Each structure stands twice: as structure tokens, then as C-alpha cells.
Amino acid sequence: MTTLKIAAYPGDGIGPEVTAEAMRVLSAAARLEPELHLEFTTLPWGIEYWKQHGRCVPENFLSIVRPFDAILLGAVGWPALLPDHETLWPLVQIRQAFDQYACMRPAKLYRGLKSVLAGKGPAEIDFVVLRENSEGEYVDNGGRLKRGTPDEFAVQTAVHTRKGVERILRYGFEMARKRRKKLTMVTKSNAQRHAYVLWDDILAELAPQYPDIESERQHCDACAMNMVRWPEKFGVVVASNLFGDLLTDLGGVLAGGLGLAPSTNTNPERNFPSMFEPVHGSAPDIAGKGIANPIAAILSGAMLLDHLDHPAAAARIRTAVEETLLSGAATPDLGGKLTTEQMGSAVLANVT
Ligand code: IPM
Ligand code: MN
């Protein structure tokens, strides 16, 4: 019997609502596996924790999370009470401290759903964005000087390392073997001629080692346009941290909406726990109403099981989601009337 210890970090806003459904579905899928047991520990962190303790997470939060096999995150942030850059910082720290450098965000339109793109269906919208998740534009490197004076200025310098760029590109090449055999690397090397030209150089070095994969470069502005007009031309998109962030909100909406878009923060070497979370945020506007779509959180749970070598359980969840969506079950974001819990139950009923 394998027991997987999972830290559930529901967070803020709709985070707890969607995480509860993901936990129900994950547990049901695990029960069907003869040798798998999931043990959830809920971490009560976020804005409520801040109200009591004056901080969103305990000081030693990284060492608390470290022993778990994986982290299932809901969403963080409550901008009416605390600025996002404060509430969201622990999330970025987990990604960086645990070297979760591969952020995998599939943009797959399920059957039975309509994309915002006219004339594009499930056959056309099925690519993955692989976001470099450990460095780049998200490194906490900079400062603000002459605060409050007319000469005030800020510097924030991105860090792109050869090691960091090479490993995410290799991960992308490997992944492309199973996805249209095509890799698109996204930068802005026509304007930023130091960091992104390093990316260009490394791609040129690696491409000959993967002769079975067609690789190309696109600048981020053009890529945003191309994803809208020709989503079918993408297989694996590898992007820096910030560009990956931008393109995955776009990918999410192309694939039916952010209520459906899952995500990993993977440490492929498994030296640290990886973290799984929906791409959407805490959505304070609909928090507490019980109408958030739990599918993105549920599919993130499937990615967790895949990562921890339980592909059969993961497949059960994905198939259940597929059948549920095909049956027309829908929360308000998809034009339906189901509550978060009803949608979770609909998926649960299809977990067989
Ligand atoms: C995401 C989010 C985060 C990011 C925020 C919450 C820091 O937008 O996971 O896409 O920018 O990475
Ligand atoms: Mn984002």
C-alpha cells in the first residue's frame, strides 16, 4: 500500500471551495486503486490566517510543507485587504525554494465545450505551455530608491541562467515527442538582447540533439496573436516565467475558460514536493457563492497523481471530467446553473 501525504493549501476566495471538490474526487479515484491511499493535511493559510497572526503563512512555512509528497493549492489573494504582491509571495517562494522549475499548463478544449474562437474545436485546441517557473522575471532581485521623491526609481532585474534555460528546453523537447512533435520557444529576443538571446543560443545548441522534433522561435507578441488565429500549430510552447504566465491565461480562455485550466509546478527530479493548482486565482467577486467551477482544481489533482506515478488513477479522473463535460453539466462560467458542489458530484459520479 502506498500512502501519499498531500498538503492541501486551499488559500483564499474560491480556493477552499474548489479544493474541497478536488479532494473529494481525488479520494474517490484513489479508493478504486488497490494499493493507493491519500492522506490530506489542510494548511489553514491565507487571509484568514493573516487576520489572526499578521502574516499569511507561518514563518517556517517552507519547512512545514517540505516533508509532504505534494501540495494541492487552491488560490491565494484577497486584494481588498492586502496587496497581491504580499499574499502571493509565499506561492512564488514555494515554486522557487522547491525548484519547481517546470510549470505545465495544458490548453485542451474538451469535447462538448465551445471555445471563444470561432471555427476551432477540440482537434485544433490542444497544446501545452511549459513555463520556466524558477527564475527569469520572477526573481526577487531589485529595489526602490529615493522613495516618495520626484526622483524615485525602481529596478527589477530578471535572472536567466544557462542551467535554467537548458533544463526547461530539454523538458519541452521530451514532452514534444508526445505532442505534435513540435516545440515553440517564446521570448522577446528582438528587443531584449541579453537574456533572451541566451535562450536563442541554447535552443540552437539543443535542437540538433532532438532531430525528430520541429523547433521554432516566436516573439511573445506574435505568439499571442498566433495562438488566437492558429492554435492548431502549437504542440509544446516553452516560455520564460513571465511570458508563460501571460500566455497561459490566454491558453486557458481558448480552451473553454479559466475554470477548466489546471497547472503543475513540478520539480522533475523529485528532490522537493511539487505543487498543483488551477491557473485561475481567488476570484473574490464570486467567493462564497458556491458557483466557482471546480474542474481546474480537479484536473490539477489528476496531474498530481500522474506526477506521483499513479497514471491509472489520474486517467480515471480525466475520463470522468471528459464525460461530465460531454453530458452538458455546467457551472455558470460555462453557461450552466450547477453549483461548485453539484459539479464536483457530477464528476464524482463518473469516477469509475
Ligand atoms: C499564476 C498566477 C501567479 C503568477 C500569481 C498569483 C503570482 O498568476 O499562477 O499564473 O503570476 O505566477
Ligand atoms: Mn497567471
Side-chain angles (χ1 to χ4, degrees):
M1 177 68 86
T2 316
T3 298
L4 299 180
K5 289 191 284 151
I6 302 173
Y9 178 175
D12 308 312
I14 61 170
E17 301 165 42
V18 298
T19 307
E21 298 312 311
M23 283 161 65
R24 283 210 295 155
V25 172
L26 272 169
S27 302
R31 272 197 295 275
L32 294 171
E33 299 299 314
E35 294 294 322
L36 178 60
H37 176 67
L38 304 183
E39 187 184 294
F40 287 101
T41 303
T42 299
L43 307 170
W45 300 343
I47 206 71
E48 291 304 321
Y49 189 92
W50 169 81
K51 283 182 193 161
Q52 289 168 26
H53 302 91
R55 45 185 308 145
C56 294
V57 293
E59 208 160 341
N60 60 340
F61 73 104
L62 288 174
S63 49
I64 294 176
V65 174
R66 177 77 179 83
F68 286 94
D69 292 308
I71 306 158
L72 185 67
L73 178 81
V76 287
W78 197 263
L81 286 178
L82 259 189
D84 275 341
H85 66 265
E86 287 184 33
T87 37
L88 272 39
W89 185 233
L91 164 63
V92 178
Q93 278 179 286
I94 290 176
R95 291 175 179 166
Q96 295 182 1
F98 293 159
D99 209 18
Q100 296 167 346
Y101 64 84
C103 173
M104 204 197 305
R105 297 187 161 181
K108 170 185 162 68
L109 183 67
Y110 279 86
R111 283 177 305 145
L113 295 180
K114 259 187 117 140
S115 172
V116 287
L117 295 183
K120 305 285 183 187
E124 286 80 26
I125 303 174
D126 187 7
F127 58 88
V128 171
V129 177
L130 195 53
R131 165 185 182 187
E132 201 299 315
N133 211 34
S134 64
E135 52 177 48
E137 306 87 349
Y138 274 54
V139 168
D140 188 27
N141 181 31
R144 262 171 85 173
L145 281 96
K146 302 196 178 180
R147 277 182 188 252
T149 75
D151 295 328
E152 178 166 7
F153 68 94
V155 282
Q156 180 135 21
T157 309
V159 173
H160 301 258
T161 65
R162 170 169 280 277
K163 176 179 141 194
V165 175
E166 183 173 333
R167 66 186 181 177
I168 196 69
L169 280 171
R170 283 197 187 279
Y171 199 84
F173 273 113
E174 298 293 338
M175 219 158 110
R177 295 210 152 116
K178 290 184 223 112
R179 301 208 140 252
R180 292 188 178 143
K181 298 208 179 300
K182 173 137 182 221
L183 180 146
T184 303
M185 185 184 81
V186 179
T187 69
K188 189 65 188 156
S189 62
N190 54 351
Q192 300 244 303
R193 61 201 189 92
H194 305 297
Y196 299 125
V197 174
L198 173 66
W199 281 73
D200 288 353
D201 289 349
I202 296 174
L203 179 71
E205 287 167 26
L206 294 185
Q209 299 174 30
Y210 300 90
D212 52 324
I213 307 297
E214 177 196 346
S215 59
E216 62 167 10
R217 297 194 261 132
Q218 290 192 18
H219 299 303
C220 193
D221 49 351
C223 182
M225 174 177 72
N226 289 334
M227 272 185 182
V228 171
R229 59 179 178 172
W230 298 319
E232 66 277 10
K233 293 197 181 183
F234 294 94
V236 174
V237 177
V238 180
S240 68
N241 211 333
L242 180 61
F243 297 152
D245 179 46
L246 307 184
L247 292 174
T248 51
D249 268 25
L250 176 58
V253 82
L254 298 183
L258 281 190
L260 302 165
S263 165
T264 77
N265 302 273
T266 312
N267 173 249
E269 292 75 25
R270 305 196 197 191
N271 296 326
F272 300 97
S274 293
M275 177 165 65
F276 301 81
E277 55 167 328
V279 175
H280 65 67
S282 58
D285 53 327
I286 58 163
K289 297 189 177 160
I291 56 168
N293 190 339
I295 299 284
I298 291 170
L299 289 173
S300 302
M303 295 177 95
L304 179 155
L305 290 173
D306 260 336
H307 173 72
L308 294 176
D309 292 331
H310 293 281
R316 280 186 209 279
I317 295 180
R318 264 191 285 272
T319 306
V321 166
E322 227 165 75
E323 285 170 10
T324 305
L325 293 172
L326 200 54
S327 76
T331 38
D333 57 308
L334 300 177
K337 289 202 165 68
L338 294 188
T339 64
T340 308
E341 200 183 325
Q342 287 168 337
M343 191 68 160
S345 299
V347 176
L348 209 58
N350 287 323
V351 175
T352 52

